[in-house]
Amino acid sequence: MPLDASYVGRVYPPTAPYEVGREKIREFATAVGEANPVFTDPQAAREHGHADVIAPPTFIFTLAQRATDQVVHDPELGLDYSRVVHRDQRFEYSRPIYAGDRLTVVVHVDGIKALAGNDVVDLRGEVGTDQGEHVVTVYLTLVSRAAD
């Protein structure tokens, strides 16, 4: 059964604020093999003009994925998550993510279409501080593969 196209334009409520910690940034940088000291050393970050360590660009995906769970697990949409593959993602930053930021994500459903029997869902996550400052926009495309 195809996904409910009336979901296009739907906006989900903001997530609870997530406080970005230095140690979380360091752990992520280590896990992805990022050796740049601006991600792990506050002094190095300051020497490069930052107030504190910054997160690697893909760090935001950990937060965005949790936010998109609101859509993925919305029973009225009808998405079969067991058939979902991640097709695409990109990030448009207004500024880096800093240790100490308190971030929220608002997810928008930008598109739903059928393609060769598969359902394609385009999502956008607007990520900002709990004070309303925009930080990054996350674009994500998911494909729910057609049943065999």
Side-chain angles (χ1 to χ4, degrees):
M1 180 170 176
L3 297 181
D4 185 349
S6 72
Y7 267 64
V8 175
R10 186 169 290 201
V11 179
Y12 286 79
T15 60
Y18 172 88
E19 187 164 344
V20 179
R22 263 191 204 153
E23 192 57 31
K24 287 292 183 187
I25 291 172
R26 189 176 338 228
E27 289 170 354
F28 187 87
T30 300
V32 299
E34 183 54 72
N36 189 327
V38 299
F39 303 126
T40 57
D41 180 1
Q43 182 59 35
R46 283 190 288 281
E47 289 170 4
H48 284 86
H50 302 292
D52 205 329
V53 295
I54 61 173
T58 56
F59 177 87
I60 193 56
F61 188 70
T62 58
L63 206 63
Q65 183 175 11
R66 280 189 250 166
T68 60
D69 281 351
Q70 295 176 90
V71 180
V72 168
H73 298 297
D74 186 332
E76 294 177 21
L77 176 61
L79 186 67
D80 180 358
Y81 191 68
S82 71
R83 306 195 68 73
V84 169
V85 294
H86 183 179
R87 177 178 170 191
D88 190 29
Q89 74 182 23
R90 66 186 167 91
F91 313 107
E92 292 179 1
Y93 276 88
S94 296
R95 68 158 177 85
I97 295 172
Y98 292 105
D101 278 344
R102 290 176 46 83
L103 302 176
T104 64
V105 183
V106 176
V107 177
H108 302 252
V109 179
D110 285 347
I112 295 176
K113 65 184 173 196
L115 184 62
N118 301 307
D119 289 312
V120 180
V121 182
D122 293 312
L123 302 175
R124 173 173 40 99
E126 296 293 345
V127 182
T129 67
D130 60 352
Q131 300 299 308
E133 179 187 7
H134 182 266
V135 177
V136 59
T137 301
V138 178
Y139 297 92
L140 175 65
T141 302
L142 300 175
V143 177
S144 180
R145 297 166 295 143
D148 298 329

